[in-house]
Amino acid sequence: MKVFTEAQVKAHYHMSDAIQDIEHLFENMDGISQTTRVVIPTGDGAKSMLYMPCVHLGKQQGIIKITSITPDNPQHHRPTTQANIIITDLETGEHIASLDGSYLTRLRTGALSGIASKYMSRTDAQTLGMIGTGGMAYEQLLGNLEVRPIQKVLLFNRTTEKAEKFLAQVAEKHPDIDFEVVSDVSDLVKRSDIINCQTQSTTPVFDAADVQNGTHINGIGSYRPEMKEMDNRLFPKASQIVFDDLEGLKEEAGEFIEADEKGLFSFAEHDADLKGLSRQGTVQRDNDSITIFKCVGAAHFDLAVALGAWEKLKNNE
């Protein structure tokens, strides 16, 4: 079995690759077989283990991603999320590669937000507001930069020092973009064309009343029923709500589960998914619309980036 570190994967596989590979997978889902991911709580809050299998019968390759989420890790100078992806040759049954999956998870999640912004946000969107500057934030930034002419990025984090540290890191890498840390999340929400939420909050991180017409929102942080980072009072105002994986959403997205129970939203009436938008290939919105994308993750996205990265790594050995 070939083993590839995060540094090796990063060197050869990038955001543009991930967006391309996921959209290519959308074009032909025949032969893709997966089960709902298994989430096993291992402690308080978000602490958990996730197991995500998927096979591509056409390519005769399969993957399983094993992810650990340990929220207390940063205080011990370890990452909150750690993952590995095992690739299997289905013809022989041989496990042919192990790829560090932490970067690929961040990358595919950022790519999903990027694809959503590509087809749901205003084409002239220039201001990105980021709520949460933790481990998933940088690839969320990259996904949006890939598809929109972002000139201004507003940063908010519950711990301001963390946002300041993130700013210092990204400003050096992207000197042409104006980064600003804001202390009031309401200010960020009112000024942003695109809002990206990447938190594990159990209560909404913004007020629905602050969201301006013309805004697009990507919610990628909540993945358990008790997590509710988006204010679901916004849902009735949205002209379009799109998911990455509807079945996963029904089981895991707390703000939508609660909204369905309260009558603010109905799973039965909303079935638009990112695949459909991608295959249409055009922006689906009016300039004054509020649009929402919710991502909980699904194994076929991991399969798309893992197999894409594996091809590049093989060719560069």
Side-chain angles (χ1 to χ4, degrees), residues 130-186:
M130 301 189 68
I131 303 176
T133 57
M136 300 291 285
Y138 184 57
E139 284 74 20
Q140 292 297 312
L141 171 65
L142 291 181
N144 283 285
L145 294 183
E146 192 71 29
V147 301
R148 287 292 179 260
I150 303 298
Q151 297 181 6
K152 177 80 174 181
V153 177
L154 306 174
L155 304 171
F156 175 84
N157 197 79
R158 185 176 54 185
T159 305
T160 302
E161 291 80 5
K162 195 171 184 178
E164 296 282 1
K165 183 177 180 181
F166 182 78
L167 183 150
Q169 294 170 341
V170 297
E172 183 177 351
K173 296 177 181 177
H174 304 278
D176 296 335
I177 297 174
D178 181 18
F179 292 92
E180 176 187 346
V181 172
V182 298
S183 58
D184 183 358
V185 72
S186 177

Side-chain angles (χ1 to χ4, degrees), residues 1 60-61 86-96:
M1 179 191 293
Q60 282 292 287
Q61 292 178 316
I86 306 298
I87 300 176
T88 300
D89 182 330
L90 300 182
E91 291 182 353
T92 65
E94 180 186 0
H95 306 309
I96 54 179

Side-chain angles (χ1 to χ4, degrees), residues 204-209 228-235 255:
V205 295
F206 64 82
D207 189 323
K228 302 165 187 174
E229 68 176 352
M230 287 193 287
D231 186 345
N232 55 29
R233 294 176 299 171
L234 182 66
F235 298 169
E255 58 266 87

Side-chain angles (χ1 to χ4, degrees), residues 219 222-225 227-232 235 252-260 294:
S222 58
Y223 57 88
R224 285 171 57 170
M227 295 179 180
K228 302 165 187 174
E229 68 176 352
M230 287 193 287
D231 186 345
N232 55 29
F235 298 169
E252 300 173 8
E255 58 266 87
F256 282 93
I257 294 170
E258 181 184 70
D260 185 63
K294 176 58 191 166

Side-chain angles (χ1 to χ4, degrees), residues 23 70 79 82-83 91 129 154 224 245 306:
E23 291 209 81
T70 315
Q82 300 172 75
E91 291 182 353
L154 306 174
R224 285 171 57 170
D245 180 64

